[in-house]
Amino acid sequence: MPGDTTVARPDQDFAPVTGGGAEMQSGEVLLVEAYAAFWLLAFVLIFLSFRKQRGLDDRIRELREDLERAREQGD
Amino acid sequence: MSYALAVGDFVSTDTAKPTAGRDRIFYGLVLLNAVCLVATLQIIFLKAPVESTMGIVQKIFYFHVPSAVGMYLGAGACFLGSALYLAKGDLKWDALARAGADVTVVMGLMLIISGPLWAARAWGRYWTWDPRLTTSLLNVLIYVAYTVMRSFSAGGEAERKFAAALGILGTANIPIIRYSVQKWGGQHPRVITKGGGGLSHPDMKLALMMGFVTFLLLSVVLIWQRMRLHMAQTQVEALEQEALELGIAGD
């Protein structure tokens, strides 16, 4: 194992590889993770915003109708 | 109530007809953004060459740097909205400040998630307390604090003014992030900043330019959408208040 300085005894303990961090990372996996994070964040925000906007628009419409009705009854 | 109507003329509802033109521009921008996104992905993955020392992971760069620009744009919107709210007291500027802070948080998260993933390969570790990394993290935390405060506060005038002050002060960190590499050095690459080597291949430059266009459009679309949302929220509060005054039992 690259940079390994410990004696592995897998029946008794698990020892990490040391000093080989860069070689252990797959560029392809890191790239996919980064792009997934980008689009997950963007689409979650867009989805939540549109859902909330729809709810608020409905509430505004409902309140306006209630207010109009109340004013008509008051006249 | 004139207050509710003033808010309503910016909010998209069936009864707010003046917004039809704005809606067309908004959805046009969304469509343009989607086209740019597809084109950018094509250029990054099919046209731009793989970097010679870091390999394919360097392609994170084409969205990592533009997300930093998106973060600056969001912080700029927050600053502008906060300053104009303090100067004029108009609620639409407060909504712009909130929208700017929301976008700063999202773009900042993109930045500080993608950066360490790239660093894992380039530096052999996810994180160092490098000046640019530290100031970028600090910036995200400032705007997270802002959005959390806005979400959990009552939304009165005092809270809005306090948030506006935070929105203005938070922007002070932006030039520190920008110039931290030049001032204090550190490990962070300075390929496209002053004194950097630049991108050697024209397709790399094209990919970065397209990244900038896509993220600027995305930031504008997100700021606009969040601003509409915060305006609608303000309008709901005003209408509920009016309903209470008229004695209508709300849900």
Side-chain angles (χ1 to χ4, degrees), chain B residues 1-122:
Chain B
M1 190 182 273
S2 62
Y3 162 75
L5 289 173
V7 172
D9 69 13
F10 199 82
V11 180
S12 171
T13 64
D14 291 348
T15 48
K17 283 175 185 155
T19 61
R22 288 199 193 109
D23 281 354
R24 267 200 294 276
I25 297 170
F26 176 75
Y27 288 111
L29 274 177
V30 172
L31 187 68
L32 183 64
N33 197 188
V35 171
C36 282
L37 169 62
V38 173
T40 307
L41 287 170
Q42 291 263 338
I43 292 164
I44 291 172
F45 290 103
L46 302 178
K47 211 166 154 64
V50 173
E51 205 272 334
S52 61
T53 52
M54 282 178 278
I56 198 163
V57 79
Q58 180 269 345
K59 286 178 188 273
I60 290 176
F61 169 79
Y62 303 117
F63 277 174
H64 174 77
V65 179
S67 66
V69 174
M71 183 178 81
Y72 296 159
L73 188 73
C78 184
F79 173 81
L80 187 71
S82 300
L84 287 171
Y85 175 71
L86 285 179
K88 297 185 174 178
D90 192 329
L91 288 170
K92 76 176 175 200
W93 299 124
D94 180 59
L96 175 65
R98 282 189 81 173
D102 293 341
V103 172
T104 308
V105 170
V106 169
M107 291 289 164
L109 284 175
M110 286 179 180
L111 184 75
I112 61 165
I113 291 171
S114 61
L117 289 170
W118 182 11
R121 181 74 184 167

Side-chain angles (χ1 to χ4, degrees), chain A:
Chain A
M1 280 184 276
D4 194 357
T5 53
T6 57
V7 180
R9 291 179 302 169
D11 56 326
Q12 291 176 34
D13 55 9
F14 296 136
V17 174
T18 54
E23 288 73 27
M24 288 165 65
Q25 304 290 342
S26 157
E28 287 83 357
V29 172
L30 291 167
L31 182 67
V32 169
E33 283 174 358
Y35 276 75
F38 277 126
W39 301 117
L40 195 69
L41 280 165
F43 287 117
V44 163
L45 182 73
I46 290 166
F47 173 74
L48 291 177
S49 296
F50 273 90
R51 205 177 63 165
K52 199 169 178 186
Q53 182 79 54
R54 224 178 18 233
L56 286 168
D57 284 349
D58 289 346
R59 181 79 180 130
I60 288 168
R61 205 176 300 118
E62 196 180 283
L63 280 163
R64 278 184 174 159
E65 281 166 9
D66 288 350
L67 285 168
E68 217 165 287
R69 219 174 295 124
R71 281 197 200 100
E72 278 167 12
Q73 282 169 0
D75 288 339

Side-chain angles (χ1 to χ4, degrees), chain B:
Chain B
M1 190 182 273
S2 62
Y3 162 75
L5 289 173
V7 172
D9 69 13
F10 199 82
V11 180
S12 171
T13 64
D14 291 348
T15 48
K17 283 175 185 155
T19 61
R22 288 199 193 109
D23 281 354
R24 267 200 294 276
I25 297 170
F26 176 75
Y27 288 111
L29 274 177
V30 172
L31 187 68
L32 183 64
N33 197 188
V35 171
C36 282
L37 169 62
V38 173
T40 307
L41 287 170
Q42 291 263 338
I43 292 164
I44 291 172
F45 290 103
L46 302 178
K47 211 166 154 64
V50 173
E51 205 272 334
S52 61
T53 52
M54 282 178 278
I56 198 163
V57 79
Q58 180 269 345
K59 286 178 188 273
I60 290 176
F61 169 79
Y62 303 117
F63 277 174
H64 174 77
V65 179
S67 66
V69 174
M71 183 178 81
Y72 296 159
L73 188 73
C78 184
F79 173 81
L80 187 71
S82 300
L84 287 171
Y85 175 71
L86 285 179
K88 297 185 174 178
D90 192 329
L91 288 170
K92 76 176 175 200
W93 299 124
D94 180 59
L96 175 65
R98 282 189 81 173
D102 293 341
V103 172
T104 308
V105 170
V106 169
M107 291 289 164
L109 284 175
M110 286 179 180
L111 184 75
I112 61 165
I113 291 171
S114 61
L117 289 170
W118 182 11
R121 181 74 184 167
W123 299 342
R125 61 172 71 179
Y126 285 98
W127 187 265
T128 63
W129 293 102
D130 172 278
R132 177 160 281 184
L133 273 65
T134 310
T135 49
S136 299
L137 177 65
L138 180 66
N139 191 59
V140 174
L141 293 176
I142 288 169
Y143 287 93
V144 165
Y146 179 99
T147 50
V148 168
M149 189 190 78
R150 295 308 302 264
S151 301
F152 291 98
S153 66
E157 199 190 343
E159 285 90 349
R160 286 197 293 268
K161 282 186 174 169
F162 183 81
L166 183 60
I168 290 168
L169 290 174
T171 321
N173 192 41
I174 298 295
I176 299 175
I177 301 172
R178 183 73 186 83
Y179 296 105
S180 57
V181 173
Q182 282 101 316
K183 283 275 178 201
W184 302 306
Q187 277 183 283
H188 194 280
R190 55 188 101 178
V191 178
I192 57 163
T193 49
K194 198 179 171 189
L199 295 164
S200 55
H201 197 281
D203 287 340
M204 286 179 160
K205 287 179 187 159
L206 178 66
L208 183 64
M209 280 302 123
M210 285 302 291
F212 279 135
V213 171
T214 302
F215 268 73
L216 280 174
L217 275 173
L218 180 65
S219 304
V220 169
V221 164
L222 289 176
I223 289 171
W224 192 332
Q225 167 57 21
R226 295 302 290 181
M227 191 176 169
R228 282 159 55 125
L229 187 99
H230 294 309
M231 292 294 285
Q233 241 167 353
T234 310
Q235 194 184 13
V236 165
E237 284 163 19
L239 288 170
E240 280 175 345
Q241 184 61 38
E242 203 176 338
L244 269 174
E245 283 165 11
L246 285 172
I248 304 168
D251 294 330

